[in-house]
Amino acid sequence: FTLIVISYTRIIRAVLKMPLVLGRHKAFSTCSSHLGVVTVFYGSATVVYLKQRSRDSVETDKYLALFYTIVTPVFNPVIYSLRNKEVR
């Protein structure tokens, strides 16, 4: 996670130094789709690890595991395919 934050800080600094607005827009567009996938991945993992234990924990764990292992990887290609003009 720290490596991703450091990488994005350096990317944002480099993009802001770009002279062309169109180039900046394209770079931020690419970064935002990737950041969306990373947020969903780490967000679901954080919920899994930080949730409190309870009686209904087993049922909730099943749904969280399903989300973490299936929904997040399926979400990744959907985000990147929406950037493709032919798919849109």
Side-chain angles (χ1 to χ4, degrees):
F1 178 76
T2 304
L3 182 62
I4 291 172
V5 170
I6 291 169
S7 298
Y8 267 100
T9 303
R10 297 183 102 190
I11 290 169
I12 289 171
R13 271 197 249 155
V15 168
L16 289 176
K17 291 178 183 177
M18 294 173 71
L20 297 175
V21 175
L22 183 61
R24 272 187 266 163
H25 177 70
K26 194 171 184 177
F28 278 130
S29 175
T30 302
C31 289
S32 65
S33 60
H34 179 259
L35 198 56
V37 172
V38 170
T39 302
V40 169
F41 180 76
Y42 279 110
S44 61
T46 302
V47 170
V48 167
Y49 291 117
L50 295 181
K51 75 176 194 61
Q52 294 182 1
R53 301 286 178 207
S54 68
R55 279 186 296 185
D56 303 325
S57 178
V58 174
E59 192 67 27
T60 305
D61 286 345
K62 287 180 189 177
Y63 292 117
L64 287 172
L66 178 72
F67 185 82
Y68 183 72
T69 58
I70 299 201
V71 174
T72 303
V74 169
F75 191 54
N76 190 13
V78 170
I79 287 177
Y80 286 110
S81 67
L82 289 177
R83 293 181 38 104
N84 188 341
K85 290 179 184 177
E86 290 140 4
V87 173
R88 276 189 271 160

